[in-house]
Amino acid sequence: MPTISISPKWKKSLIRWLEDNRGIVVVFFCLPASFIFNLILTFRNWVVRKIHSAPEQHYLRVRDIQAQVLQWEKDGGANKKLLCTARPNWLSLSLTFFKKDQCHQVPIPLYNILELNEADLTVRVEPMVTVGEITKYLIPKGYTLAITLEIADATLGGLAMGTGMTTYSHKIGLYQEAIKSYEIVLGDGSLVTATRTNEYSDLYHALPWSHGSLGFLTALELQIVPVKQYIHLKYIPLKGQKNYCDKIREASGALDKNAKVADFVEATIYSKDEGVLLLGNFADRPPVTEWNKINYISNWYKPWFYKHVETFLTVGESDEYIPLRDYLLRHNRAIFWVVEDMIPFGNHPLFRLLFGWLLPPKPAFLKFTTTPGIRAMTFTKQVFQDIVLPMNQLEDQINISEDLFDTYPILVYPCRVYDHGEHMGQLRKPRPEQMVPGTNYGMFNDLGVYGVPGPVKRKERFDAVDAMRKMEKFTRDVGGYPFLYADIFMSQKEFEEMFDLTLYERVRTKYHANGAFPHLYEKVRPEIDVFAIGKEYIDPL
Ligand SMILES: Cc1cc2nc3c(=O)[nH]c(=O)nc-3n(C[C@H](O)[C@H](O)[C@H](O)COP(=O)(O)OP(=O)(O)OC[C@H]3O[C@@H](n4cnc5c(N)ncnc54)[C@H](O)[C@@H]3O)c2cc1C
Ligand SMILES: *[C@@H]1O[C@H](CO)[C@@H](O)[C@H](O)[C@H]1NC(C)=O
């Protein structure tokens, strides 16, 4: 294939121009293209789901996956390629681009909601069902998933093999705590169902954070919770770092196991000294006298959610009634605050009114159009990390994030991490000082740092790899874990200091994953040489 070569100097000028005029490029090219892309994708998804929609034929489809694994085994010989799902990289929300072409790809056409069990409060689904689809199905019936995600395109299987949490996690914990069972096709083609207590409980505990490196997930059973149609949301502006950290700890129940906590707890930090605490409780439709407090925050012409929240720093403490679906997808339009870096004027009222309905640019579109060059540059000019960290060190988390990345807002979602004794899977037991007194869980939080680091914005020198490795060292030192959908910069040795792979390796051997599926570290580490590329982009463009 002919390639166009551009001199490095020209390349830098071009990138510089694109960066300086990013908003215009995004609005006139990306948004319309993303819109059309999305129409096509929606149609594709509709067709794919139509073809495979037949819950009663679940086991026929699973048998076909088993047959493909057996066939691969028979055909393979000594130098078999390892197995992975055939889902294209650009459809997944993970930020890395795992090299699927080097694997033997097996399609997993499993898109059905299989069974709702209202007596046990569980729902059984196939793994490709999305958050958007399950919310649409459950909310009218009066339920939602106990733990879900604000991004409509995330799949329930992807979250199970990776991890997830929401603003409900201070009550329940990580996504894995709300999984009753996993149905899995193993590397030898057999089908097993793993639960917390059955003969496959070792597998059950190793599956979260395994990223498809132990088998093909074909169904899972998830815990659901009853809901009301509104969230009564309180906005509490807070000043002073110690003060806001204490209030967040208190509100999440980290200090006292008997404290009465809200159904949903979240904080957005706007600077070292200021943050807004959000406390949400399920509520019925308010009386007529309070209808003025109903806010459909997700409508396209409304201010971006984090901007709306920021206004309460000056307005003072307030409350609103948010329709449930609006609340659950509140961060969808501005992808938290990522869109601001793409379209700096995107929250202007006029822009919202005219073009707000085009937001957000589809993650799938962004990934689809990410060339290797863009991929290399973006990780050095952006930070995108969700990290599970102990809440007793919230002040340190925020300070180190400012030192290394100098970007706000920062997102804080409180989350329990349970001490499951010898059944911790890849996680380690919370340390004594991290535990909530008198319970079997520690209080952690997701620290979400997304955006363009301050030095990059100011066109100063920024060593992304160095900053990320320092953040990872901090994370290891305090006993935390980064979500593995984002880029990691650890060596395998450092990775194994952070994650406990003892059970994982045992399970890999016992359940025929060795030689069949890639190892976890190989599966999640960036597909590009981040160290070499990192060096190339340290200096400002
Ligand atoms: C903008 C953005 C914001 C985010 N915010 C949050 C947040 O607030 N809270 C949160 O918890 N997470 C958040 N995430 C991360 C999200 O949880 C992950 O991206 C998650 O992996 C879901 O994505 P997915 O469905 O595309 O899964 P994928 O990326 O497709 O899958 C995840 C892993 O599971 C494997 N896998 C998938 N299906 C199967 C299967 N059937 N069998 C075997 N293996 C399988 C894949 O190979 C992959 O390794 C965010 C991500 C983005 C991009
Ligand atoms: C965080 O930074 C502030 C201001 O720079 C400082 O006063 C405070 O002691 C730091 N907190 C911790 C826990 O180091």
Side-chain angles (χ1 to χ4, degrees), residues 85 87 92-94 108 127 149-151 154-155 158-159 161 163-165 211-212 215-217 335-336 384 386 413 483 485 523:
T85 71
R87 186 173 193 222
S92 116
L93 289 175
S94 302
I108 312 282
L149 180 67
E150 288 84 350
I151 308 284
T155 64
L159 287 168
M161 298 288 90
T163 192
M165 65 160 70
H211 284 261
F216 289 126
L217 180 66
I335 318 187
F336 298 92
F384 214 106
D386 281 291
Y413 285 5
F483 281 26
Y485 79 88
K523 187 76 197 282

Side-chain angles (χ1 to χ4, degrees), residues 55 57-66 69 85 106-114 124-129 157 160-161 181-186 189-194 207 215-221:
Q57 287 174 11
H58 172 70
Y59 284 107
L60 284 181
R61 291 188 293 269
V62 172
R63 215 171 299 155
D64 186 48
I65 295 170
Q66 291 179 273
V69 174
T85 71
V106 176
I108 312 282
L110 301 172
Y111 301 95
N112 291 279
I113 298 170
L114 298 173
R124 188 157 173 266
V125 296
E126 292 185 332
M128 302 296 290
V129 172
M161 298 288 90
S181 71
Y182 304 86
E183 184 188 271
I184 298 273
V185 173
L186 300 174
S190 58
L191 181 71
V192 303
T193 299
L207 280 169
F216 289 126
L217 180 66
T218 54
L220 67 164
E221 216 181 323

